[in-house]
Each structure stands twice: as structure tokens, then as C-alpha cells.
Amino acid sequence: MKFNYIEDVSKFEGQKITIRGWLYNQSSKGKIHFLWVRDGTGIIQGVMVKGEVDDLVFGLYDQLTQESSIEVTGTVRKDQRAPGGYELTLSDMKIIQIAQDYPITPKPHGSTFLFDHRHLYLRSKRPHAILKVRNEIIWAIRSYFYQNHFVLIDSPILTGAVGETASTLFETQYLDEGKAYLAQTGQLYLEAAIASFGKVYCFGPTFRAEKSKTRRHLTEFWMIEAEEAFYNNEDNMDLQEDFLIYIVNWVLEKCQNEFKELERDISALEKIKKPFPRISYDEAVERLQKAGSEIQWGSDLGGTDETILTKMFEKPVFVYNYPKACKAFYMKPHPDRKELVLCADLLAPEGYGEIIGGSERNDDYDSLVLRIKEENLPLDAYKWYLELRKYGSVPHSGFGLGVERTVTWICGLSHIREAIPFPRTIYRLYP
Ligand code: 4AD
Ligand code: MG
């Protein structure tokens, strides 16, 4: 390697190393120049003293601008006062490219401006910290499923049938075959795969033409979905609880620096322990009405309802067995109360709300046909899905966790757009 990374500098105390990166900040006291360089793994202060470097190199300082790309060479010195504990006494510098008028200056900018410049804004400390946490959350997810012997099944993005709800479909012409839809979920395909593998998961982008302008909705988001043969709705909740605790413990261990940068109060995350409270939909409505919500039995919890409800608990809370009318067609009807389905949403605390939607699935051929017809969905598009109920149908359950909703909660963000590198929302397709 012809260069080193800032995260490794402690291994090179007293030695000469070369860093390649971008100029984060600079200042000068005439005979001493200070350069803060970042390379993606950290930020280090370089000190350049007149007389200790070639005069030509010392003079290059005057050309430097914020975000110019440079290569610096110097000796690593321990220094308590330096941000990372080390600084570089520079002996050489090369300019790779001079940046002209970088638009994101140290002064505050509005969020529209920042997201219009997302391609550059990614370099700033806050998005850097958030996306590092996102990276760790995704590693935790994959690690959990790998350790628990779930098999990764990649589900298609182009699909021929409604996965969740007809109202938020992205439609496209599919060659000469007619319409295709961008996947709203991979679930239906996972249900096919459980009969081969038992426990499976998928992880991919999902698409919903959400026309609402909220802090919680993207039109393209990443969902991790699990499906388990022979699990009922309770087993499914137990699994989600275990899974979420694994993720929280993972980030608490790996993301301390990022949480510090984000000023995230991690004491709220440290309270996430088993068991999570579980309340029925009936009880949720009762509690909400008492708290002043206008919700009527039968309608879905709105964003504000979720906020009110989750502030009643310090841990994530399951709300189970919703009315059939507010949930998707594939959920298993309650055996004793025909108006309900066996399902659960997991709502994150501190007002964040739904991060997981899950349910036991309808495994009965005739009753599923009825539900598909009731929802006015085209029966022939579900022929393959219905066949799964003919050849060794078993009780089964599964769930989907929205990655950006989870990142938003774990990082303590106020808007979901910060939780994904390039957000797609009702008004945003650029950059
Ligand atoms: O509750 P949903 O719609 O459930 C499903 O899609 C099921 N097929 C999952 C399953 O059982 N396999 O979506 C699951 C999660 C939500 O809880 C939420 O976290 C996230 O996906 N989500 C969104 N995130 C961002 N923007 C949107 N528009 C979202 N819609 C759902
Ligand atoms: Mg849901």
C-alpha cells in the first residue's frame, strides 16, 4: 500500500506515513500551517512548519481550499490535545485537485439546501456518523440471521402481483408482457422458500408510492424480512424481540463515537431489554382514547397515535391482533374473532412508532381465496401463492423491519431522510 488510513495512525507512532484525503479545514499562524485532513476513517491534524518542508511545498498552502483533495506525508506524534490523540508533523504535501467554492461551508444551512447537495453533504460529520450506524445495523442484521441459521433468499424487485396494498404501487411496462410492479415486499416469495429451507430472510429495496409528506415515509426504503415455518404469532414476536435486542447491543458496542457526534442519549437505548410489553389492539385504542386521541375502534393507528402510545413505554411495544380491515390480505384470521387478524406491529419508543410489521399467515386455501376476492385482487396473479397452500401447507409467520425507520430511532433523528444515503420521497428524485 502506498498510503495509510487515519484510523490506523496509532500503530505508526514516531514513523513516517502518507495519508490521502480531503482538506476539512485549515488555519495558519504565518510560519506554521495547520491542515485538518479527513479520509473517511477519521480526521487528523497536520502541522507544517516553515523551514522543515521544502519552501515550494510550504507555499502550496495558499492554494488550498475546503474539500480540495491532497496527499500529505509526515511523522505520527502522540498529542493529547489533538482530536484523535495523534497529529502529523508534515514533511511533504501533494495537491491532487483544488476544489472551487465548495457550497457546504461551516456556517449553518437549511435542510432543503443540504439535501439538494446530498452528493456533497454525505461528507459532513453528521451524515457520516448516521451512515456508519446504518452500516453497523445492517451487519448486525446479517450476523443475527447467519448465526440463527436463516437462509438468505433474494426476492425479485419486478413483480406481477400486489404484495401489500394496491394504493401505493409503482407500475412500469414490462416488455410485451403487460404491467409489472416494483416490489412492496419480498414476503410472498419467502413464503415459498420456507418449504425448502424452514427459516429464511431477504434484504432489499422496496417501493411504495406514498403520496403523504411525513417524517416517516420514503418511496424507496430497505426492508429486512424474515419468514419462519411452524411459528405462530407469539413465536414470531419472541423472535423479533430477540432480533432487535441483538441489533441494539451491537450498535451500543460499536457506535459510541457516532452516538457522541450525534449527541444521541444512549441511556434510552440501554433500557432496551427483554421482555417488551405486548398490548392488544383493543387495549391500544382504549389507552389512546383515554389519552385524548380521536381514534375509533376499527381504524389503523395514525402517526400521532403511535407517538402518544410509545411515549407510555420505555421499551419497544408490540400491538397485536388488529382489525382485518386495516391489514393486508395474507394475514391469518383470528380463530374466535373473525373481525381480527393474528398480527403484531412493533413500535419503537420515544415517539418513533412502527419499525416492524409482522403476522401469522393465512395457510388455508379456501379462506385465502376469499380474502383475495374481498380485496378485489386478481386471483390468477396469486395462482402460485395459493398453490403453496395445496402442497404441504403449514402454519407460518414472518415480519419486516424497515431499516431507515430503525436507523432514525437508533440515531435519534427527527426525519427519515437522514437515514438513507440518497432519499427518495414524494418531492425528491434528485440527486
Ligand atoms: O408493515 P409493512 O407494510 O409490512 C410488510 O411489508 C410485510 N410484508 C412485512 C412482512 O411481514 N414480511 O412494512 C414493514 C416495515 C414497516 O414496519 C416500516 O418499518 C417499513 O417497513 N416501512 C417503511 N419505511 C419507510 N418508508 C415507508 N414508506 C415504509 N413503509 C413501510
Ligand atoms: Mg405496517
Side-chain angles (χ1 to χ4, degrees), residues 9 37 102 111 137 155 197 226 233 263 288 324 347 396 418 421:
V9 290
V37 182
Y102 186 68
S111 71
I137 289 173
S155 53
F197 302 96
N233 201 31
E263 296 175 359
L288 283 167
K324 173 177 94 171
L347 315 182
H396 63 289
E418 288 195 288

Side-chain angles (χ1 to χ4, degrees), residues 224-249:
I224 190 91
E225 295 181 88
E227 196 70 26
E228 319 94 42
F230 306 106
Y231 275 43
N232 66 22
N233 201 31
E234 274 83 51
D235 302 331
N236 199 29
M237 283 189 265
D238 293 344
L239 173 67
Q240 292 165 48
E241 194 175 83
D242 201 53
F243 170 58
L244 201 66
I245 283 172
Y246 186 87
I247 295 175
V248 170
N249 288 342

Side-chain angles (χ1 to χ4, degrees), residues 6 22 24 46 72 154 207 252 256 338 365 389:
I6 294 169
W22 296 264
Y24 178 71
V72 291
D154 297 309
F207 305 87
L252 281 174
Q256 291 294 332
K338 293 284 168 257
Y365 186 89
R389 276 73 185 162

Side-chain angles (χ1 to χ4, degrees), residues 133-143 203 222 224 403:
V133 175
R134 178 187 168 107
N135 174 54
E136 289 300 336
I137 289 173
I138 292 171
W139 275 111
I141 289 169
R142 293 200 184 278
S143 164
F203 178 44
W222 287 68
I224 190 91
V403 169

Side-chain angles (χ1 to χ4, degrees), residues 111-112 209-219 303 414-417 424-428:
S111 71
T112 304
E210 305 270 8
K211 299 229 175 68
S212 52
K213 200 183 161 205
T214 77
R215 297 168 171 274
R216 301 178 182 189
H217 289 91
L218 295 165
T219 53
S414 60
H415 200 296
I416 195 167
R417 67 180 160 228
R424 297 288 175 250
T425 59
I426 173 168
Y427 298 125
R428 185 170 292 287

Side-chain angles (χ1 to χ4, degrees), residues 103-273:
I104 304 177
T105 55
K107 70 165 202 227
H109 298 281
S111 71
T112 304
F113 179 86
L114 290 175
F115 279 88
D116 283 345
H117 294 86
R118 183 61 161 173
H119 49 298
L120 304 176
Y121 180 43
L122 286 182
R123 307 176 189 192
S124 298
K125 279 183 174 174
R126 182 178 168 84
H128 187 267
I130 295 168
L131 296 178
K132 290 269 291 227
V133 175
R134 178 187 168 107
N135 174 54
E136 289 300 336
I137 289 173
I138 292 171
W139 275 111
I141 289 169
R142 293 200 184 278
S143 164
Y144 181 86
F145 285 125
Y146 188 69
Q147 282 184 19
N148 288 282
H149 301 265
F150 283 69
V151 176
L152 173 69
I153 297 296
D154 297 309
S155 53
I157 299 297
L158 288 166
T159 67
V162 174
E164 285 295 317
T165 147
S167 61
T168 61
L169 281 178
F170 275 113
E171 220 177 84
T172 180
Q173 178 61 33
Y174 190 67
L175 309 175
D176 298 329
E177 292 295 306
K179 280 183 213 156
Y181 309 113
L182 297 185
Q184 296 176 311
T185 172
Q187 177 196 321
L188 277 51
Y189 298 95
L190 292 187
E191 287 185 64
I194 54 163
S196 177
F197 302 96
K199 294 188 289 185
V200 296
Y201 77 102
C202 64
F203 178 44
T206 41
F207 305 87
R208 300 204 188 165
E210 305 270 8
K211 299 229 175 68
S212 52
K213 200 183 161 205
T214 77
R215 297 168 171 274
R216 301 178 182 189
H217 289 91
L218 295 165
T219 53
E220 177 180 299
F221 62 97
W222 287 68
M223 184 157 48
I224 190 91
E225 295 181 88
E227 196 70 26
E228 319 94 42
F230 306 106
Y231 275 43
N232 66 22
N233 201 31
E234 274 83 51
D235 302 331
N236 199 29
M237 283 189 265
D238 293 344
L239 173 67
Q240 292 165 48
E241 194 175 83
D242 201 53
F243 170 58
L244 201 66
I245 283 172
Y246 186 87
I247 295 175
V248 170
N249 288 342
W250 181 293
V251 294
L252 281 174
E253 192 192 315
K254 313 249 185 206
C255 301
Q256 291 294 332
N257 288 339
E258 286 74 22
F259 290 141
K260 224 170 273 159
E261 174 64 39
L262 298 169
E263 296 175 359
R264 173 63 164 131
D265 169 18
I266 57 166
S267 69
L269 297 177
E270 284 163 350
K271 290 180 186 137
I272 311 303
K273 303 237 155 69

